[in-house]
Amino acid sequence: MESLLAKLQLEWLSCSTLLLFLFVFLLVFDMVKFRIPKNFPPGPWSLPFIGDMHRVDTQRIHLQLAQLAEKYGNIYSLRLFGYRVVVLNGYKAFREAMVVNGEDYVDRPIVPLFDDVLQNRGVFFLFMIFYSIAWHLTLSIMCVIRGLLMTNGYLWKKQRRFASHTLKNFGLGKKTLEPSIREEANYLTEAFGQYQGKPFNPRSLITNAVSNIICCLVFGERFQYDDEKYRGIIKMFKDSHAAQESIWIQVYNTVPRLMRLFPGPHQRFFSVVRSIQHFLDKMIQEHRETLDPSSPRDYIDCFLIEMGQNEDKEAGFDLDNLSLAALDLFAAGSDTTTTTLRWALAYMTYYPEVQERVHAEIDAVVGSSRQPSMDDRDNMPYTNAVIHETQRMGNIIPLNAMRMTSKETKLGKYTIPKGTPIMPTLDSVLNDESVWETPHSFNPEHFLDKDGKFRKREAFVPFSAGKRVCLGEQLARMELFLFFTSLMQRFSFSVPNGARPSLDYTLGFVRSPKDQQICAITR
């Protein structure tokens, strides 16, 4: 009996010693891996293994980052999910990195979830923008757009150049696309009018309208709002967003090899992605069967033609990449503009005096007998200022998409090693107290000079800046003006009787207004 107890005690001590050794080993490994480089930006003391994640409140992280800047300076560091991340606060630090020394900050870190789905393909992936918890707000911020996901390599250059050239040929950023947007704006106002002033949630209608513009560019056609195929693809994107909000997605990104073996919401996410790709594969097959190389109809046609002509295997012109590129473009052309328009309606209900001035300017410049056009924008400085102020205050991508240094570089007085993730927060730029007169108030006067004329502001960077600036910026600007003025020309917006206007928001990667009912009263 005594010998048995001694044996058990010895085994217990052996296990304890092994566990202690393992813990010490991991602790030392953690300290070595995350040792602070020489002349690196300062930051708070991090805990072993979890770094600074215990500091993160997912609905306030943009505010928390600003508070940390008050203590550590406008260039500081945090340890977030396996990286030492350098955070940039304010326009001065943002401009130094993104504009002045932009070539040093063109790379992107890799997120396992995206890497497994995309396999280093695509053009500019905005498919994952609804991240809503800590993992989403840190590591995956850097990967909102697939062109962002790619490093600054040959494939990224070739695909971005092709996408930019092709979409411009179909009117991206040009007035040739304006008739399509104006036509869609008509469909949208008709859909709003069907509610006859009764309360409704405008989110799905705005999503449908905005998505249809990119559908014209990518698929060569628009869809009716009640089209089952169209509603199905929109639902699949919604399901993919919901799947990403699970804690298991965070765990997957932390230990992907292990999580691939287990069921869970992450597997649901991959299933939804496969369904979306199946839909796109069918669209591509239909295009292949009806392709006329002498008369391309859309982006898919142009890609198929390039596949037959481009012999460069490293450029990514193949069917798999076309499917992912089409997915990228469809998703990228939808959510950010939709969210901005939702913020615009929220601000109109919250500030009725601003809404009245917009109505008055539209009545004076456009009237009621014709639809607004881009030619009207220069004659509507106040309305233009309201749209810009909506983008500034709406602040829909407060943390920006992360960059990564492509080489060792200097930033301020600090040395930043190659491969360091950089978080150039847009929230801190759009609310910089040294730049904006009333940064925390909705004030269209920010974009008007003393004579009431529209003025540009350097710190207005909702599309980011530098080499990785949003490819669809010009399209978004056109959509925002035409959709907003068309809606405001026809309707007055308010909340239902007994309800209070709200500017409450939810924060994932995108800062979105909470769903609320509005009334669109015909003017």
Side-chain angles (χ1 to χ4, degrees), residues 73 102 108 127 401 405 490:
R108 301 285 183 186
F127 181 75
T405 51
R490 183 166 172 182

Side-chain angles (χ1 to χ4, degrees), residues 184 187 208 212 222-231:
E184 196 63 46
Y187 288 120
N208 292 341
N212 258 334
R222 70 172 298 278
F223 297 91
Q224 297 296 328
Y225 296 166
D226 59 354
D227 183 282
E228 289 300 322
K229 182 169 64 173
Y230 186 50
R231 293 173 67 176

Side-chain angles (χ1 to χ4, degrees), residues 132-204:
S132 63
I133 44 185
W135 174 260
H136 304 148
L137 292 170
T138 54
L139 183 58
S140 47
I141 334 184
M142 52 191 116
C143 304
V144 187
I145 301 176
R146 185 60 186 108
L148 307 181
L149 256 175
M150 295 180 185
T151 58
N152 187 40
Y154 183 74
L155 175 62
W156 175 77
K157 290 179 180 178
K158 297 294 288 187
Q159 289 292 315
R160 182 179 174 97
R161 186 179 296 119
F162 174 79
S164 177
H165 175 73
T166 301
L167 295 178
K168 283 181 180 178
N169 285 343
F170 285 105
L172 184 67
K174 300 179 180 179
K175 294 194 67 174
T176 52
L177 192 60
E178 182 177 344
S180 296
I181 301 175
R182 294 176 66 186
E183 178 185 18
E184 196 63 46
N186 270 331
Y187 288 120
L188 181 61
T189 55
E190 288 175 7
F192 272 43
Q194 290 177 1
Y195 286 91
Q196 299 179 343
K198 297 178 181 178
F200 71 103
N201 184 344
R203 179 174 183 171
S204 62

Side-chain angles (χ1 to χ4, degrees), residues 26 32 56-57 87 117 159 178 185 204 229 286 296 365 397 430 441 468 516:
L26 292 174
V32 172
V56 173
D57 178 347
V87 181
V117 171
Q159 289 292 315
E178 182 177 344
S204 62
K229 182 169 64 173
E286 291 174 4
V365 176
I397 306 180
L430 297 174
S441 302
R468 295 278 187 167
Q516 62 177 324

